Amino acid sequence: MARTTIHPGACPLDCPDTCTWQLTVTDGRAVALRGDRDHPFTRGALCGKVNRYLDAVNGPDRLTRPLVRVGPKGVGPVSYRPASWDEALNRVAAGLRATIDAGGPQAILPYYFAGTMGLVQGWTMGPRLFAHLGASRLRTTICTAAARAALQSVYGGSVGFEPESIVDARLIVLWGANLLSTNLHHWPFVQEAQRRGAYVVTIDPLRTDTAARSDEHVAPLPGTDAALALGLMRHIRDLGGVDREWRDAHTTGGERLDARLDEWPVERAAAECGLDVEVLRRLGARIAGTRPTAIRVGLGLQRHAGAGQAVRAIAAIPLLTGDFRYPGGGALVTTSGHHRIDPDRVARPADLPTPPARSINMSRLAAALTGEADPPVTSLVVFDANPAATVPDQNRLRAGLGRADLFTVVLEQRWTDTCDWADVVLPATMQPEHLDLHTSYGHHYATLNLPASTPPGEALPNTEIFRRIAAALGLTHPRLRDTDEDLARQLLDGAGVSFEELREHTYARATGVDVGAAPYAKGGFPTRDGRARLYDPQLTGQGVDPLIGYTPPVEAADPQLARRFPLALISPAGRFLMNSTFASLPWHLDRTGPPRIHLHPVDAAARGLADGDAARVHNDRGAFLATVAVDEATRPGLAFTYKAYWARLSPGGSTVNAVTAVRDTDLGGGPTFHDTRVQVEGVPAEAPGQPA
């Protein structure tokens, strides 16, 4: 008789919501999945991406055995044959030892990010092993680096209002935040605020689903968010909307910012942003007169050259208005800094020797593999990431991945673009098959995920793979043999919640902030003096204006480049793809469709293009093919295409990252995906490899 059980767990994907779920397992196979209706934040709903998660878990394309390369790089699975774990691990150990012998341990680069957000599988044993070896340390910049650096400068850390308290706001500004696609479970709280009378404004260059459901949509030019924030603050000040008592008590640099705002009348800001001046006046007046105002900041707006200054400027608005006085007031970018769990402490425990090492910016991987790193990287170990699909300057990256002297190991669940370039591919488990611990960057709950179903074939958890690599290398330190439960307990040490509590209840709040609280009503920001900083002298040494200001985008604001490549291009997240995780699955691809380049009707007509035409999108770095979508969701001069497609499954074998640049943001060293200029041309119908 079949045995069916139900197991609680957590969604592992790169999303601020970190849903809890209920997994039904029959005879070791995951057969059904639904959201946990009792969770205070996610409340039982799963998004369109994750509703079909078991298609991935049970898919026929799961990797089930180690594979070793026997043919050329870059041509796919035909170059690989199955191997035993012993053979594969011996190859990995031999490759890493050869790198250490020839160039030292810093010639090894581990490359990982948010393929799973789980702290145990993603952020402990793998980084621990490479820290002990003395390998290069990865600066994990590709998502939130600019925003985190900006928040550190202004607030002293990644802090903000309590997300559930947004129901108490009277005005909600969703700035670069498309909640319906990327933060779905915060939207019901916004709707509840609307029912209580709140007015909702979305600021986004595109008319997204979230913008369409808001009370007002403001569409600035990409990369001009800081100019918009400065113009709003000037108008707020001119209308008497600055809470000077609160500002002067809990910030430094207020008088300096007053002088900066003198330079930013709304007319200047509106011109810089490509907006009607009345739009700024109206929104500025609304912010000046509405308490509390909540500003929910998304991550897409920090992917241009002036991203750090943009987030600093937006974060300054509630410091002028005093909105942090009130529950539901202030600004919020991420809750990840609110949790009392420190994975870095567990990745480099005090009793494990970890030699000093250089750091390499993950967003600059294409440059690091093609000459920027000295000494060169000659071993690359990839886990929880698919860089061949997700990092900038795709053509240069392929040249680096194809180097004959680069030894590459990939831990994966299915064959991805990056696997095409590996020397060894090791099969990894998925979320229902291993233990993991999750915090969230959108709410304040920690969640334990316990293994519930049987892994396919010989697939192993990341942690076990790294334990076996350590053993194959002859490393004997006991910290390299810690079990997954050991790692989870180490992460929870001092977190205010125990492993036993999570094992019994699955989730618990892992922060000292209560629902409905105003945690910074009396200041107490995590700076040295407890004051937020409108002027940060430490930025001078980084070449950044210490005063809140505006750094224009590089390509989007370049008039000479615009003559050759007249369209600014951004690549936001879509509703059915999660970074590159689901981009090979039929159900998700059917709903997403082929890669499309969305053009305003004016821009499409100027190029003689119609909806459904095949097009080539290009600049000096490269090109990709896409189907034209004539779309009034964008504005003239601005094109967009959704990110996350795999090159190996795309027409022409390239994606949008063939045209994006390796360039750092002003703060944090983040990528500049949304600071790109292109031209779009029609492709003859008979051209090979055209979009379907």
Side-chain angles (χ1 to χ4, degrees), residues 89-314:
L89 291 167
N90 286 336
R91 284 210 180 193
V92 172
L96 297 180
R97 285 195 201 99
T99 286
I100 293 170
D101 291 344
Q106 291 188 94
I108 300 172
L109 177 64
Y111 191 96
Y112 56 97
F113 198 60
T116 176
M117 293 297 290
L119 301 180
V120 173
Q121 298 302 327
W123 303 90
T124 55
M125 189 57 74
R128 178 181 289 188
L129 167 62
F130 292 109
H132 183 53
L133 282 174
S136 292
R137 292 179 183 171
L138 188 73
R139 289 178 57 203
T140 52
T141 60
I142 205 159
C143 188
T144 60
R148 286 173 182 259
L151 294 171
Q152 182 68 35
S153 171
V154 177
Y155 297 154
S158 298
V159 299
F161 64 76
E162 201 287 322
E164 293 172 61
S165 69
I166 202 169
V167 298
D168 296 318
R170 302 294 294 170
L171 172 63
I172 297 173
V173 180
L174 304 174
W175 202 316
N178 184 8
L179 300 192
L180 287 168
S181 286
T182 62
N183 193 188
L184 178 64
H185 296 86
H186 210 184
W187 182 248
F189 293 88
V190 173
Q191 290 181 302
E192 175 59 26
Q194 281 183 307
R195 284 190 286 270
R196 298 182 187 185
Y199 189 84
V200 178
V201 179
T202 290
I203 299 175
D204 197 302
L206 306 178
R207 187 166 178 79
T208 62
D209 291 344
T210 303
R213 298 192 192 185
S214 300
D215 297 301
E216 184 177 348
H217 174 216
V218 176
L221 291 168
T224 63
D225 303 278
L228 177 55
L230 289 162
L232 290 173
M233 287 189 282
R234 166 66 182 270
H235 198 53
I236 290 165
R237 187 196 70 180
D238 290 352
L239 293 175
V242 174
D243 184 340
R244 292 189 180 273
E245 177 189 23
W246 193 91
R247 186 201 71 177
D248 293 346
H250 303 302
T251 72
T252 58
E255 292 184 359
R256 291 176 184 264
L257 182 58
D258 273 339
R260 173 58 52 83
L261 296 181
D262 289 341
E263 305 168 7
W264 280 94
V266 289
E267 293 82 4
R268 178 187 175 189
E272 190 70 31
C273 298
L275 294 170
D276 188 290
V277 68
E278 289 305 316
V279 171
L280 270 75
R281 290 194 178 111
R282 185 171 62 245
L283 180 55
R286 196 177 289 278
I287 296 172
T290 309
R291 305 277 75 74
T293 289
I295 303 177
R296 181 68 170 99
V297 185
L299 297 174
L301 67 85
Q302 47 107 52
R303 294 186 178 119
H304 59 84
Q309 283 287 45
V311 176
R312 289 181 75 210
I314 296 167

Side-chain angles (χ1 to χ4, degrees), residues 441-468:
Y441 62 97
H443 60 66
H444 286 164
Y445 300 88
T447 310
L448 181 66
N449 182 87
L450 295 174
S453 62
T454 303
E458 300 174 20
L460 295 173
N462 285 353
T463 46
E464 177 60 19
I465 293 173
F466 287 122
R467 284 188 283 264
R468 293 189 182 193

Side-chain angles (χ1 to χ4, degrees), residues 264-462:
W264 280 94
V266 289
E267 293 82 4
R268 178 187 175 189
E272 190 70 31
C273 298
L275 294 170
D276 188 290
V277 68
E278 289 305 316
V279 171
L280 270 75
R281 290 194 178 111
R282 185 171 62 245
L283 180 55
R286 196 177 289 278
I287 296 172
T290 309
R291 305 277 75 74
T293 289
I295 303 177
R296 181 68 170 99
V297 185
L299 297 174
L301 67 85
Q302 47 107 52
R303 294 186 178 119
H304 59 84
Q309 283 287 45
V311 176
R312 289 181 75 210
I314 296 167
I317 295 174
L319 299 177
L320 269 61
T321 59
D323 274 295
F324 278 111
R325 284 184 186 266
Y326 313 100
L332 174 67
V333 181
T334 172
T335 63
S336 58
H338 304 199
H339 295 271
R340 295 175 292 191
I341 295 175
D342 180 11
D344 288 341
R345 174 180 56 82
V346 178
R348 291 189 287 275
D351 61 341
L352 179 71
T354 53
R358 67 177 175 183
S359 65
I360 291 180
N361 183 342
M362 70 183 304
S363 299
R364 302 188 65 84
L365 183 62
L369 295 182
T370 55
E372 185 173 272
D374 184 18
V377 172
T378 55
S379 277
L380 179 70
V381 182
V382 179
F383 57 102
D384 298 337
N386 183 13
T390 59
V391 306
D393 207 344
Q394 192 171 81
N395 291 334
R396 185 156 48 139
L397 176 68
R398 287 171 172 169
L401 291 173
R403 283 171 30 210
D405 67 330
L406 180 68
F407 177 72
T408 300
V409 181
V410 176
L411 284 63
E412 248 316 340
Q413 299 159 347
R414 53 190 16 88
W415 197 272
T416 66
D417 286 355
T418 306
C419 292
D420 285 351
W421 304 93
D423 292 279
V424 181
V425 178
L426 303 176
T429 50
M430 294 188 69
Q431 186 76 345
E433 302 153 5
H434 56 230
L435 182 150
D436 221 330
L437 176 69
H438 293 259
T439 55
S440 168
Y441 62 97
H443 60 66
H444 286 164
Y445 300 88
T447 310
L448 181 66
N449 182 87
L450 295 174
S453 62
T454 303
E458 300 174 20
L460 295 173
N462 285 353

